[in-house]
Amino acid sequence: MLVASVLGVRQFPSASADETYDAVIANGRVVDPESGLDSVRTVAIRDGKIAAISSAPLTGTATIDARGLVVAPGFIDLHEHGQDPRNYQFQARDGVTTSLELEAGTDDVEKWYALREGKSLINFGVSIGHIPVRMKVLGDPKGGLLPTGEAAHRPATAEELTKLSQEIDRGFRQGALAEGMGVNYTPGATHWEIVEMFKVAAKYGASVHVHLRYGGLKEPNTGLAALEEVLAAAAATGAPLHVVHITSMGLKYTPELIAMIEGAQHHGLDVTTECYPYTAGSTALQSAIFDPGWQENMGITFKDIQWAATGERLTADTFEKYRKQGGIVVIHSIPEEAARAAVSNPIVMIASDGMPITGPKVHPRGQATFSRVLGHYVREEKALDLMTALRKMTLMPAQRLEKRAPVFKNKGRIQVGVDADITIFDPARIIDKATYDDPLQPSEGISFVLVHGVLVVKDGQLVQGVFPGRATRAPISQ
Ligand SMILES: [Zn+2]
């Protein structure tokens, strides 16, 4: 024991056939992307943690028969705007055990966590968000997720810039996991404001999750130019950078954006990225993304935009009408080759960018991203292998956050001692069922999902009345 400790070997109680665990998951194909384990094992759970992994039989008060099924770490979604009970139900059925809102974030970290504590099906977490903080400090019409007035279009004064930094700092002291930014939605923010916001994150070793300033095809407003801005901010301040939904920013230049990020990694910058497996984006029609010039920027026109409340494609007339009214649209702008390039690339994490359920035709990504990658891109298209796909949705997101929030050292893995957040699925059957026309359909082929050892999905169905989800939060320092 002493020798092992000195050598730095983690000590775990060895599995014993005499012990009775709270639950065992028997005979499944256990996949752990960190150790590379991909073999039939029995996993035992005690007190919400994985207590043993054995090739011999183990005994539990409850037994899950996982024969023929994959036993994987629960999926960690870095980017999910739908943070309500109904969204969590769809996410659990898509294999997600930890749902994080890190792009938009919140302006009140304390309140955000308090609202969900003890009431959540799955684990949850949030960033301190530059967008909502800017809406508060610069003043913006209330009620929306995104700014439409001064907070979108006006540069901050020197006093406001100080106030923005103070508010972001306060969010970190309250345990925000990261900093969120959406420069595309706040084009009034100067390049220097971006650097100032990165400086605060650097102080806490926290990653900045950025929706880039442009998602355009036309120089000088391309995704490449926008990526240069935040790579420079990361290099100049030392803050880790995470670029969200690389495909909707890069469009046909997605491979070039990924190559830039790969190059920056090779040269020592802490920068990562993510994608969702779809050829459409989604956002609010009243936001700055649809300021004049959007057709040329994104290479699309009215008919490529779908109104989420009804599913209708827009015209010049309905565009004007709905932009005044405000609401969510689905934007068919991403080439299939871009989606495939990102989904299959081993450095690009999977994250849904799921939307709150505001209408019958919301984007399907919040309900089905993970099963779509595993069913469509892994099994049907063979665009990537199972281990790589699971790594992109479990270990990599955990590693992105674990320096800032040590709770993630115990997630994204199937190892003795980690949290029993586990997703068990049939690799031959898993598939997304949510579509643009019928997006509120739960995924299929996910048999069991456990959060802290508690079943939230059993035999493919939601378990009612359980709330094992916990806050994932960085240390509080106020
Ligand atoms: Zn975004």
Side-chain angles (χ1 to χ4, degrees):
M1 190 82 163
L2 182 65
V3 172
S5 303
V6 168
L7 292 174
V9 177
R10 287 169 85 179
Q11 287 295 311
F12 297 117
S14 56
S16 158
D18 307 334
E19 286 183 76
T20 301
Y21 297 95
D22 296 344
V24 297
I25 302 164
N27 304 313
R29 175 184 165 191
V30 177
V31 178
D32 175 49
E34 188 167 57
S35 63
L37 175 69
D38 182 354
S39 295
V40 173
R41 292 282 188 277
T42 290
V43 176
I45 296 167
R46 179 183 290 140
D47 299 331
K49 294 191 177 291
I50 294 177
I53 302 171
S54 173
S55 42
L58 299 171
T59 310
T61 307
T63 300
I64 294 169
D65 182 10
R67 196 176 299 270
L69 306 178
V70 169
V71 179
F75 307 151
I76 299 171
D77 189 349
L78 292 176
H79 190 159
E80 172 57 76
H81 302 295
Q83 293 286 333
D84 295 316
R86 192 161 177 225
N87 294 99
Y88 289 161
Q89 292 180 350
F90 279 111
Q91 291 164 41
R93 294 194 63 182
D94 200 34
V96 174
T97 54
T98 301
S99 177
L100 309 171
E101 159 58 287
L102 302 185
E103 181 208 38
T106 180
D107 63 1
D108 191 337
V109 171
E110 192 64 49
K111 186 174 156 199
W112 193 95
Y113 279 109
L115 278 171
R116 289 163 181 83
E117 205 79 59
K119 301 175 200 161
S120 294
L121 188 66
I122 58 179
N123 302 316
F124 49 91
V126 77
S127 66
I128 178 70
H130 175 250
I131 297 174
V133 165
R134 200 170 204 271
M135 287 169 78
K136 187 157 85 179
V137 172
L138 271 69
D140 207 80
K142 289 258 180 236
L145 184 69
L146 297 166
T148 54
E150 298 212 9
H153 297 107
R154 176 169 73 73
T157 64
E159 294 74 35
E160 285 167 342
L161 198 51
T162 304
K163 184 77 179 144
L164 287 170
S165 294
Q166 287 169 347
E167 289 283 317
I168 300 286
D169 196 277
R170 189 170 71 102
F172 280 126
R173 282 184 279 113
Q174 292 181 345
L177 292 175
E179 180 175 339
M181 295 194 87
V183 197
N184 213 178
Y185 297 107
T186 59
T190 62
H191 294 280
W192 185 248
E193 179 173 328
I194 306 309
V195 174
E196 288 285 349
M197 297 304 108
F198 269 67
K199 269 190 208 165
V200 189
K203 188 175 145 192
Y204 292 91
S207 45
V208 189
H209 295 238
V210 187
H211 174 139
L212 301 177
R213 186 180 288 274
Y214 310 116
L217 296 170
K218 197 170 155 265
E219 294 288 7
N221 298 346
T222 60
L224 280 163
L227 180 57
E228 287 168 4
E229 175 185 33
V230 287
L231 284 174
T237 62
L241 165 66
H242 181 81
V243 179
V244 303
H245 47 57
I246 191 88
T247 54
S248 66
M249 308 277 52
L251 303 177
K252 72 173 177 184
Y253 299 121
T254 296
E256 285 87 340
L257 264 69
I258 295 172
M260 292 259 296
I261 289 170
E262 225 163 356
Q265 288 179 349
H266 282 308
H267 295 96
L269 219 53
D270 184 357
V271 49
T272 52
T273 188
E274 63 174 51
C275 72
Y276 46 75
Y278 291 92
T279 55
S282 181
T283 194
L285 186 60
Q286 67 274 26
S287 71
I289 284 184
F290 290 102
D291 285 353
W294 61 268
Q295 292 107 314
E296 217 176 4
N297 280 336
M298 288 188 268
I300 56 170
T301 184
F302 300 107
K303 68 167 173 43
D304 300 311
I305 303 174
Q306 201 174 355
W307 185 238
T310 60
E312 71 190 273
R313 297 295 183 121
L314 298 192
T315 64
D317 288 345
T318 52
F319 177 90
E320 288 310 322
K321 178 180 142 197
Y322 290 143
R323 185 157 154 91
K324 276 196 202 92
Q325 182 183 325
I328 298 298
V329 287
V330 175
I331 312 161
H332 296 271
S333 61
I334 304 166
E336 170 62 30
E337 309 84 76
R340 178 187 296 263
V343 168
S344 61
N345 189 302
I347 74 157
V348 182
M349 299 177 207
I350 303 299
S352 74
D353 195 8
M355 303 292 280
I357 298 170
T358 51
K361 305 286 183 181
V362 295
H363 198 299
R365 64 196 183 190
Q367 294 75 262
T369 277
F370 296 89
S371 54
R372 182 166 173 75
V373 170
L374 294 169
H376 180 62
Y377 284 101
V378 173
R379 184 180 64 244
E380 294 176 352
E381 298 282 313
K382 300 187 171 44
L384 72 169
D385 62 72
L386 183 72
M387 179 70 89
T388 304
L390 289 174
R391 173 183 289 267
K392 283 152 60 81
M393 46 184 77
T394 60
L395 181 65
M396 286 168 69
Q399 288 175 330
R400 172 72 291 180
L401 297 172
E402 69 189 21
K403 280 190 217 103
R404 164 79 183 142
V407 60
F408 284 96
K409 288 182 180 162
N410 288 322
K411 297 196 183 294
R413 290 126 167 133
I414 299 280
Q415 293 168 19
V416 173
V418 307
D419 296 336
D421 294 345
I422 301 171
T423 293
I424 303 169
F425 63 91
D426 183 344
R429 279 186 53 239
I430 189 168
I431 198 69
D432 56 311
K433 299 304 280 185
T435 63
Y436 297 110
D437 286 333
D438 197 5
L440 299 180
Q441 294 300 319
S443 299
E444 282 186 4
I446 295 183
S447 311
F448 301 94
V449 178
L450 297 97
V451 174
H452 291 284
V454 176
L455 278 168
V456 298
V457 172
K458 185 183 180 192
D459 297 320
Q461 300 298 318
L462 274 178
V463 178
Q464 302 297 329
V466 293
F467 304 99
R470 294 186 201 163
T472 59
R473 197 164 170 171
I476 297 165
S477 58
Q478 55 191 337

PDB file of all heavy atoms in Angstrom, residues 208-220:
ATOM      1  N   VAL A 208     -12.831  29.994 -22.333  1.00  0.00           N
ATOM      2  CA  VAL A 208     -13.820  30.914 -22.892  1.00  0.00           C
ATOM      3  C   VAL A 208     -14.478  30.215 -24.077  1.00  0.00           C
ATOM      4  O   VAL A 208     -13.798  29.835 -25.032  1.00  0.00           O
ATOM      5  CB  VAL A 208     -13.162  32.240 -23.341  1.00  0.00           C
ATOM      6  CG1 VAL A 208     -14.238  33.250 -23.717  1.00  0.00           C
ATOM      7  CG2 VAL A 208     -12.267  32.807 -22.242  1.00  0.00           C
ATOM      8  N   HIS A 209     -15.802  30.028 -23.996  1.00  0.00           N
ATOM      9  CA  HIS A 209     -16.554  29.295 -25.015  1.00  0.00           C
ATOM     10  C   HIS A 209     -17.192  30.316 -25.949  1.00  0.00           C
ATOM     11  O   HIS A 209     -18.143  30.996 -25.568  1.00  0.00           O
ATOM     12  CB  HIS A 209     -17.596  28.398 -24.352  1.00  0.00           C
ATOM     13  CG  HIS A 209     -16.957  27.313 -23.534  1.00  0.00           C
ATOM     14  ND1 HIS A 209     -17.190  25.983 -23.749  1.00  0.00           N
ATOM     15  CD2 HIS A 209     -16.031  27.378 -22.527  1.00  0.00           C
ATOM     16  CE1 HIS A 209     -16.451  25.268 -22.912  1.00  0.00           C
ATOM     17  NE2 HIS A 209     -15.750  26.098 -22.148  1.00  0.00           N
ATOM     18  N   VAL A 210     -16.635  30.422 -27.155  1.00  0.00           N
ATOM     19  CA  VAL A 210     -16.977  31.545 -28.026  1.00  0.00           C
ATOM     20  C   VAL A 210     -17.742  31.129 -29.269  1.00  0.00           C
ATOM     21  O   VAL A 210     -17.310  30.246 -30.019  1.00  0.00           O
ATOM     22  CB  VAL A 210     -15.704  32.296 -28.492  1.00  0.00           C
ATOM     23  CG1 VAL A 210     -16.086  33.559 -29.259  1.00  0.00           C
ATOM     24  CG2 VAL A 210     -14.813  32.642 -27.322  1.00  0.00           C
ATOM     25  N   HIS A 211     -18.858  31.801 -29.491  1.00  0.00           N
ATOM     26  CA  HIS A 211     -19.498  31.857 -30.806  1.00  0.00           C
ATOM     27  C   HIS A 211     -18.810  33.024 -31.510  1.00  0.00           C
ATOM     28  O   HIS A 211     -18.909  34.171 -31.080  1.00  0.00           O
ATOM     29  CB  HIS A 211     -21.004  32.094 -30.619  1.00  0.00           C
ATOM     30  CG  HIS A 211     -21.793  32.305 -31.872  1.00  0.00           C
ATOM     31  ND1 HIS A 211     -23.040  31.754 -32.054  1.00  0.00           N
ATOM     32  CD2 HIS A 211     -21.529  33.019 -32.985  1.00  0.00           C
ATOM     33  CE1 HIS A 211     -23.508  32.121 -33.245  1.00  0.00           C
ATOM     34  NE2 HIS A 211     -22.609  32.898 -33.825  1.00  0.00           N
ATOM     35  N   LEU A 212     -18.090  32.729 -32.600  1.00  0.00           N
ATOM     36  CA  LEU A 212     -17.194  33.704 -33.239  1.00  0.00           C
ATOM     37  C   LEU A 212     -17.937  34.955 -33.733  1.00  0.00           C
ATOM     38  O   LEU A 212     -19.144  34.944 -33.899  1.00  0.00           O
ATOM     39  CB  LEU A 212     -16.476  33.047 -34.419  1.00  0.00           C
ATOM     40  CG  LEU A 212     -15.631  31.809 -34.103  1.00  0.00           C
ATOM     41  CD1 LEU A 212     -15.055  31.234 -35.395  1.00  0.00           C
ATOM     42  CD2 LEU A 212     -14.518  32.143 -33.117  1.00  0.00           C
ATOM     43  N   ARG A 213     -17.161  35.990 -34.003  1.00  0.00           N
ATOM     44  CA  ARG A 213     -17.725  37.276 -34.435  1.00  0.00           C
ATOM     45  C   ARG A 213     -18.448  37.166 -35.780  1.00  0.00           C
ATOM     46  O   ARG A 213     -19.452  37.839 -35.991  1.00  0.00           O
ATOM     47  CB  ARG A 213     -16.592  38.313 -34.533  1.00  0.00           C
ATOM     48  CG  ARG A 213     -17.067  39.717 -34.838  1.00  0.00           C
ATOM     49  CD  ARG A 213     -15.915  40.704 -34.928  1.00  0.00           C
ATOM     50  NE  ARG A 213     -15.291  41.030 -33.651  1.00  0.00           N
ATOM     51  CZ  ARG A 213     -15.706  41.987 -32.815  1.00  0.00           C
ATOM     52  NH1 ARG A 213     -16.775  42.716 -33.112  1.00  0.00           N
ATOM     53  NH2 ARG A 213     -15.070  42.222 -31.682  1.00  0.00           N
ATOM     54  N   TYR A 214     -17.935  36.328 -36.669  1.00  0.00           N
ATOM     55  CA  TYR A 214     -18.578  36.146 -37.973  1.00  0.00           C
ATOM     56  C   TYR A 214     -18.738  34.661 -38.262  1.00  0.00           C
ATOM     57  O   TYR A 214     -17.925  33.859 -37.837  1.00  0.00           O
ATOM     58  CB  TYR A 214     -17.717  36.705 -39.123  1.00  0.00           C
ATOM     59  CG  TYR A 214     -17.209  38.098 -38.937  1.00  0.00           C
ATOM     60  CD1 TYR A 214     -15.844  38.347 -38.831  1.00  0.00           C
ATOM     61  CD2 TYR A 214     -18.092  39.170 -38.893  1.00  0.00           C
ATOM     62  CE1 TYR A 214     -15.363  39.638 -38.695  1.00  0.00           C
ATOM     63  CE2 TYR A 214     -17.617  40.467 -38.748  1.00  0.00           C
ATOM     64  CZ  TYR A 214     -16.241  40.692 -38.645  1.00  0.00           C
ATOM     65  OH  TYR A 214     -15.769  41.953 -38.506  1.00  0.00           O
ATOM     66  N   GLY A 215     -19.775  34.328 -39.032  1.00  0.00           N
ATOM     67  CA  GLY A 215     -19.892  32.975 -39.557  1.00  0.00           C
ATOM     68  C   GLY A 215     -20.028  33.067 -41.061  1.00  0.00           C
ATOM     69  O   GLY A 215     -20.815  32.352 -41.649  1.00  0.00           O
ATOM     70  N   GLY A 216     -19.255  33.961 -41.650  1.00  0.00           N
ATOM     71  CA  GLY A 216     -19.519  34.321 -43.046  1.00  0.00           C
ATOM     72  C   GLY A 216     -18.574  33.709 -44.059  1.00  0.00           C
ATOM     73  O   GLY A 216     -17.539  33.152 -43.740  1.00  0.00           O
ATOM     74  N   LEU A 217     -18.989  33.833 -45.316  1.00  0.00           N
ATOM     75  CA  LEU A 217     -18.226  33.304 -46.442  1.00  0.00           C
ATOM     76  C   LEU A 217     -17.402  34.380 -47.120  1.00  0.00           C
ATOM     77  O   LEU A 217     -16.556  34.092 -47.943  1.00  0.00           O
ATOM     78  CB  LEU A 217     -19.196  32.726 -47.483  1.00  0.00           C
ATOM     79  CG  LEU A 217     -20.019  31.525 -47.027  1.00  0.00           C
ATOM     80  CD1 LEU A 217     -21.114  31.203 -48.040  1.00  0.00           C
ATOM     81  CD2 LEU A 217     -19.114  30.315 -46.813  1.00  0.00           C
ATOM     82  N   LYS A 218     -17.700  35.652 -46.800  1.00  0.00           N
ATOM     83  CA  LYS A 218     -17.166  36.753 -47.600  1.00  0.00           C
ATOM     84  C   LYS A 218     -16.105  37.514 -46.813  1.00  0.00           C
ATOM     85  O   LYS A 218     -16.365  38.002 -45.719  1.00  0.00           O
ATOM     86  CB  LYS A 218     -18.340  37.687 -47.941  1.00  0.00           C
ATOM     87  CG  LYS A 218     -18.063  38.634 -49.066  1.00  0.00           C
ATOM     88  CD  LYS A 218     -19.354  39.341 -49.481  1.00  0.00           C
ATOM     89  CE  LYS A 218     -19.047  40.663 -50.137  1.00  0.00           C
ATOM     90  NZ  LYS A 218     -19.098  41.798 -49.207  1.00  0.00           N
ATOM     91  N   GLU A 219     -14.898  37.613 -47.367  1.00  0.00           N
ATOM     92  CA  GLU A 219     -13.853  38.425 -46.735  1.00  0.00           C
ATOM     93  C   GLU A 219     -14.302  39.883 -46.713  1.00  0.00           C
ATOM     94  O   GLU A 219     -14.958  40.313 -47.654  1.00  0.00           O
ATOM     95  CB  GLU A 219     -12.543  38.299 -47.520  1.00  0.00           C
ATOM     96  CG  GLU A 219     -11.918  36.912 -47.497  1.00  0.00           C
ATOM     97  CD  GLU A 219     -11.310  36.513 -46.157  1.00  0.00           C
ATOM     98  OE1 GLU A 219     -11.478  37.253 -45.163  1.00  0.00           O
ATOM     99  OE2 GLU A 219     -10.704  35.444 -46.098  1.00  0.00           O
ATOM    100  N   PRO A 220     -14.009  40.649 -45.642  1.00  0.00           N
ATOM    101  CA  PRO A 220     -13.175  40.223 -44.509  1.00  0.00           C
ATOM    102  C   PRO A 220     -13.966  39.579 -43.364  1.00  0.00           C
ATOM    103  O   PRO A 220     -13.384  39.302 -42.322  1.00  0.00           O
ATOM    104  CB  PRO A 220     -12.577  41.553 -44.030  1.00  0.00           C
ATOM    105  CG  PRO A 220     -13.672  42.551 -44.293  1.00  0.00           C
ATOM    106  CD  PRO A 220     -14.404  42.065 -45.537  1.00  0.00           C
TER     107      PRO A 220
END
